[in-house]
Amino acid sequence: MKLDQIERALSVYPRARIGFYPTPFHKLDNLSRQYGVNLFMKREDMAGPASLSGSKVRVAEFVIGDALKKGIDTIITQGAFLTNSGMQFAMACRKVGITPILFLTRDEPRHGVLEEYRGNLLLDRLMDVETHYLKAPGSAYVNIPDDKQRVLDAMLARKEELESEGHNVMIVPTGGALPSGFVGHMLTFKEIVEQSDSEGVSVDYIYHTTGTGTALPGMLAAKLLTGNPIKFRSISISNYSPEYWINENIIAERVEGIIAGLGQKVPAREDILREINVDRRFIGENYAVPTSESLAAIKALASNEGVFLGPVYSGKGFAGMLDHLRSGQIEAGSNVVFLHTGDTANLFEVNGVTGFTTPF
Ligand SMILES: *Cc1c(COP(=O)(O)O)cnc(C)c1O
């Protein structure tokens, strides 16, 4: 498949136009000089419809396209209390006139009692989103089967209630991870290649923060289908492992699903797995707990380039990339793109460990 055939191939899927695409792509001149590489940034944080956005809007465009076709009027989704996907799905729903409902999990001893609305919670409140809070001991991410079931049961109960009142309700899992949405980030890949081409640059690496596994499958499917040599480097904020709800095989399955859905030849599993490179060393103590590296990375980008990352996801991803650059894992002179997936509003969240906004 050629790069310019991607958009046509995706036209078989219903899509709600919500974001501003293509998102910007630009060089980070000062950090490039400091690190001896050509560093670029792809700005999914500027995807719209609001200025505080992120990588889930691409996913939401296709999930919501499908929902509108099915006559859905209410979308229930879940996430950790700092969820970007929940906030972005709420924005996307508001834009198209679907009612968003959020079920958010929080480990109170670790992440603090919810007393104030800041960060994404404030944005959810401004959008007048019906929000339900559930405790999730151990982590704000729900991994324990019983807890997972508890959240699902709560969402199903609300769904049933609304259906009995005549509503058409769709449940969207954490991160917006529905097969209908995974194709969205094929377009991110296409834009990166086109935008770097027009600057006369051929990209060697794409770095990004990975968690729920919604951006990588589409980008990787597009890479494989177009035979592009770009390599992916994923910095994880969740503990990818065989027994966890997200891991390399799940990503590979999603890639296979995208390619099969487009009627193209699916590569062998091991050829897909070879392209997936997840670094788990930058998670730190827990989800939403900043690390010294992530705080330094956020500050480095802000003070050198005037661009803001977030403390839950993109700061940790950027920290991982800077570590790879410093430790020589990336050859000098390489062309490196960091996918800014958003998270900026979480700079203004209350951190449960310190009780204050992210401590710089
Ligand atoms: C959801 C999210 C991620 C992780 O994205 P996936 O592609 O779903 O793994 C990274 N950064 C931000 C800001 C996010 O909201």
Side-chain angles (χ1 to χ4, degrees):
M1 188 182 272
K2 294 224 174 61
L3 199 64
D4 60 9
Q5 293 173 316
I6 288 178
E7 197 135 18
R8 261 247 336 257
L10 294 189
S11 66
V12 298
Y13 299 113
R15 175 181 177 190
R17 299 287 173 153
I18 293 161
F20 305 123
Y21 297 112
T23 53
F25 175 90
H26 60 92
K27 193 166 182 191
L28 301 173
D29 288 310
N30 300 314
L31 288 178
S32 292
R33 263 194 300 278
Q34 285 176 32
Y35 284 88
V37 292
N38 298 306
L39 197 50
F40 297 85
M41 195 167 249
K42 175 66 172 165
R43 302 295 300 273
E44 292 303 289
D45 62 314
M46 295 175 72
S51 56
L52 296 160
S53 186
S55 54
K56 303 305 187 310
V57 174
R58 294 244 191 217
V59 180
E61 285 201 336
F62 286 92
V63 169
I64 287 178
D66 179 51
L68 288 171
K69 201 175 141 199
K70 292 175 173 153
I72 297 295
D73 60 46
T74 306
I75 284 183
I76 301 179
T77 188
Q78 72 170 99
F81 66 107
L82 287 161
T83 178
N84 291 305
S85 70
M87 187 278 284
Q88 291 169 54
F89 264 80
M91 289 194 306
C93 282
R94 285 303 187 208
K95 175 129 162 75
V96 300
I98 288 178
T99 303
I101 297 179
L102 294 176
F103 281 76
L104 305 184
T105 48
R106 192 174 185 98
D107 174 10
E108 289 192 353
R110 241 180 231 276
H111 301 115
V113 180
L114 186 71
E115 286 169 340
E116 286 185 71
Y117 290 90
R118 298 204 210 174
N120 284 335
L121 292 174
L122 174 63
L123 303 182
D124 296 337
R125 196 172 171 88
L126 288 174
M127 290 186 282
D128 201 19
V129 179
E130 178 187 315
T131 307
H132 304 264
Y133 298 97
L134 299 167
K135 290 182 189 175
S139 173
Y141 259 142
V142 179
N143 192 38
I144 306 159
D146 282 357
D147 275 345
K148 228 170 154 169
Q149 192 59 45
R150 191 164 52 90
V151 177
L152 185 61
D153 287 346
M155 292 195 295
L156 285 170
R158 187 69 186 111
K159 179 173 187 270
E160 233 166 74
E161 216 168 63
L162 287 161
E163 282 171 348
S164 72
E165 294 163 14
H167 291 284
N168 291 322
V169 184
M170 179 187 260
I171 291 183
V172 172
T174 306
L178 277 180
S180 55
F182 294 141
V183 293
H185 281 285
M186 290 183 76
L187 296 169
T188 310
F189 186 84
K190 170 188 176 275
E191 290 174 17
I192 289 174
V193 174
E194 285 174 351
Q195 289 167 316
S196 54
D197 274 356
S198 74
E199 301 214 10
V201 168
S202 87
V203 175
D204 299 304
Y205 296 94
I206 295 176
Y207 272 82
H208 71 120
T209 314
T210 191
T212 43
T214 59
L216 185 56
M219 293 197 293
L220 182 47
K223 175 224 145 86
L224 291 166
L225 285 171
T226 56
N228 192 301
I230 289 179
K231 298 182 199 63
F232 290 101
R233 292 288 179 267
S234 309
I235 310 294
S236 178
I237 58 95
S238 50
N239 199 14
Y240 278 57
S241 61
E243 62 282 0
Y244 202 55
W245 57 272
I246 186 73
N247 57 55
E248 286 84 346
N249 271 300
I250 306 272
I251 301 281
E253 268 169 32
R254 292 176 182 178
V255 172
E256 290 163 4
I258 293 168
I259 295 176
L262 292 170
Q264 303 287 316
K265 186 173 178 296
V266 177
R269 175 61 66 95
E270 62 265 29
D271 292 336
I272 301 176
L273 287 174
R274 201 173 302 124
E275 302 291 340
I276 303 173
N277 195 308
V278 180
D279 190 339
R280 301 162 187 75
R281 293 176 303 140
F282 298 90
I283 301 170
E285 190 195 320
N286 198 348
Y287 175 81
V289 179
T291 61
S292 55
E293 292 115 310
S294 71
L295 296 176
I298 292 169
K299 223 170 162 185
L301 184 66
S303 60
N304 284 286
E305 305 284 351
V307 177
F308 305 112
L309 297 159
V312 184
Y313 298 87
S314 47
K316 288 183 180 176
F318 204 76
M321 183 188 70
L322 292 183
D323 178 84
H324 286 195
L325 294 176
R326 272 192 298 267
S327 62
Q329 287 187 50
I330 302 299
E331 313 79 65
S334 295
N335 297 318
V336 181
V337 176
F338 183 80
L339 183 75
H340 191 331
T341 45
D343 194 31
T344 314
N346 282 332
L347 280 174
F348 310 106
E349 238 287 344
V350 178
N351 181 277
V353 174
T354 61
F356 292 100
T357 44
T358 308
F360 288 101

